[in-house]
Amino acid sequence: MTRAELLAEQSRLLALANELAQRHWGVDYTGTLRLVNRHWRRQWAYFQYKRKGEPVQDIVMSAPTNAERSEEDVVGSLLHELVHWRLHTLGHPASDTDKEFIAECLRVGAPISGATDAQKAYRRYLKTEEAA
């Protein structure tokens, strides 16, 4: 992907992040979005809240990895990272394994991480909800 294409896609995803934040929480997305031009094998995106010890609000995605995925999957990953961002900015638990995070993902329709610990936490959350 050329630098111009990368910047255009990054701009599109940032606009989409803002649209999703408005739709689900009624606020603008106040963080940044970085699109890297290297392929990832084990992840689709991540939310970074510290860099070199300094606070940031940064969603990072891979352009080549996104290109291999459906638009629906890319949007789902973006929404998942926005849930991290929103909960973090409110000072709420925002890890993939936190019940508050799982509940918010389910509320807004964001996918749950496929990581082993996240899937275990998701199953525990569902059992707790069934018992309530």
Side-chain angles (χ1 to χ4, degrees), residues 49-115:
Y49 61 92
K50 277 188 185 178
R51 186 180 320 122
K52 297 180 182 176
E54 296 297 316
V56 295
Q57 297 175 12
D58 197 14
I59 293 174
V60 185
M61 301 180 93
S62 160
T65 303
N66 283 356
E68 295 174 354
R69 304 173 69 219
S70 71
E71 178 69 5
E72 181 180 346
D73 287 343
V74 171
V75 171
S77 293
L78 179 57
L79 183 55
H80 174 100
E81 300 311 325
L82 285 167
V83 173
H84 284 295
W85 161 79
R86 181 65 177 153
L87 293 178
H88 176 76
T89 60
L90 294 173
H92 297 303
S95 168
D96 281 338
T97 58
D98 290 322
K99 65 182 179 183
E100 296 87 349
F101 178 81
I102 295 167
E104 188 63 5
C105 279
L106 293 174
R107 187 188 76 78
V108 301
I112 303 297
S113 170

